[in-house]
Amino acid sequence: MRRLEGQAVFVAGGAGRLGTATCQRLASEGARVFVTDIDEAAAQSVAQSIVEAGGEGHSGYLDLADHASIDAAYTQAEKMLGPILRLHGNGAALKLMYERDLGALDIDIEAWELTLRTNLTGHLACVRRALPAMIEAGEGAIVLTSSGAAHTAETIRLAYAVSKAGINQLVRHIAHTWGKQGVRCNAVAPGPVLPDDFPNMDLYKQAMRSHRVGKGDDIAAMVAMLLSADGEWINGQILSVDGGMSMRS
Ligand SMILES: NC(=O)c1ccc[n+]([C@@H]2O[C@H](COP(=O)([O-])OP(=O)(O)OC[C@H]3O[C@@H](n4cnc5c(N)ncnc54)[C@H](O)[C@@H]3O)[C@@H](O)[C@H]2O)c1
């Protein structure tokens, strides 16, 4: 399928497991992909893999916690690709989540603030940079990345869950405010897409309502559809791609 032929797509924080699979999928559907990440070398190798596969991939440095770097990367992408009408926000401070994100009584405020600044405010900054061109064109699609963590509760990972709940509300706000002007905004909420050696993998497998755990391609396929014309009447939704794990009414 080539549903994104010629579309310029800016991907924020796209050099990790899900981001790589998604950038490659978008490029395979014809998109011209500008992948950014705080890990600039990893972003470069994602772009390189796209080029080697016959697609168009570019890369740049972007730190979601540093808004000047977001503006600089977006400006660089626009110079290279022209107006950008597709945005995918994917990056998140996951190391921080594993190492310092605890419960309400224990989390240090610095870790809380950095998580929100990266996972939530950073994506707001990307959206603010992207929206004017979309509004002017009367067309645009944004897909942010939420998590099943926004729909449940745990004793730890409070800042991560709050940041993803904030993403859900940011999505609804954008969809509500600019839908009539042709701009759609949705989020994909992945279930566990984990490396094979992840601790407690058996527990995750037991919790599945599916015969397998998730793959990067499962998430990539949803992002590609939402960014394409096939997703034209989907707006303001948080789409769980998790093998049925979060089934709810
Ligand atoms: N893998 C899962 O099971 C899962 C489940 C639910 C949600 N998610 C969400 O999917 C997204 C991708 O997760 P993943 O599993 O691929 O993780 P990952 O760690 O492989 O990728 C995260 C990417 O974000 C980048 N990043 C971190 N801090 C950044 C910053 N300050 N600025 C720019 N980039 C930054 C990292 O360098 C990395 O490339 C995240 O938003 C995550 O919360 C993942």
Side-chain angles (χ1 to χ4, degrees):
M1 268 182 297
R2 303 275 296 181
R3 295 176 295 187
L4 295 164
E5 197 66 61
Q7 278 290 352
V9 184
F10 187 92
V11 182
R17 204 171 25 246
L18 304 190
T20 300
T22 301
C23 289
Q24 291 171 342
R25 171 68 185 250
L26 299 178
S28 78
E29 295 222 21
R32 298 177 296 139
V33 178
F34 194 95
V35 52
T36 64
D37 204 280
I38 195 168
D39 184 343
E40 197 176 1
Q44 253 169 23
S45 72
V46 175
Q48 182 66 26
S49 72
I50 289 172
V51 171
E52 279 164 11
E56 183 172 342
H58 309 273
S59 64
Y61 170 81
L62 170 148
D63 176 0
L64 284 162
D66 169 10
H67 300 172
S69 81
I70 292 171
D71 189 45
Y74 216 90
T75 301
Q76 187 193 351
E78 283 176 329
K79 272 193 192 137
M80 211 168 260
L81 302 176
I84 298 173
L85 305 180
R86 300 287 182 274
L87 168 67
H88 176 44
N90 175 77
L94 297 178
K95 266 196 200 132
L96 201 60
M97 173 184 80
Y98 288 121
E99 288 164 9
R100 292 168 62 197
D101 190 359
L102 302 170
L105 287 177
D106 306 320
I107 186 171
D108 69 273
I109 293 302
E110 193 199 329
W112 165 272
E113 286 178 347
L114 187 53
T115 299
L116 291 177
R117 183 168 175 79
T118 307
N119 297 7
L120 180 55
T121 317
H123 290 292
L124 170 65
C126 292
V127 161
R128 281 158 75 114
R129 187 62 183 75
L131 266 173
M134 297 182 185
I135 293 166
E136 192 185 332
E139 194 229 330
I142 299 170
V143 178
L144 302 183
T145 306
S146 183
S147 167
H151 296 135
T152 182
E154 292 180 293
T155 50
I156 56 169
R157 302 203 307 168
L158 175 63
Y160 178 75
V162 169
S163 73
K164 296 300 186 177
I167 287 287
N168 294 356
Q169 204 51 34
L170 177 59
V171 160
R172 295 183 190 108
H173 167 76
I174 296 163
H176 175 84
T177 309
W178 288 285
K180 280 199 190 303
Q181 286 164 269
V183 180
R184 298 183 293 106
C185 186
N186 295 287
V188 60
V193 180
L194 304 167
D196 290 339
D197 60 353
F198 193 78
N200 301 327
M201 184 58 104
D202 284 346
L203 286 179
Y204 278 110
K205 282 187 177 163
Q206 277 167 32
M208 287 284 125
R209 293 189 176 95
S210 175
H211 63 289
R212 63 167 174 82
V213 292
K215 299 182 289 192
D217 286 344
D218 296 320
I219 311 307
M222 175 60 85
V223 175
M225 188 274 284
L226 290 171
L227 288 177
S228 79
D230 283 347
E232 197 170 278
W233 218 48
I234 304 174
N235 198 14
Q237 303 301 314
I238 316 303
L239 292 134
S240 296
V241 179
D242 62 2
M245 196 169 178
S246 66
M247 196 183 294
R248 60 195 184 278
S249 58

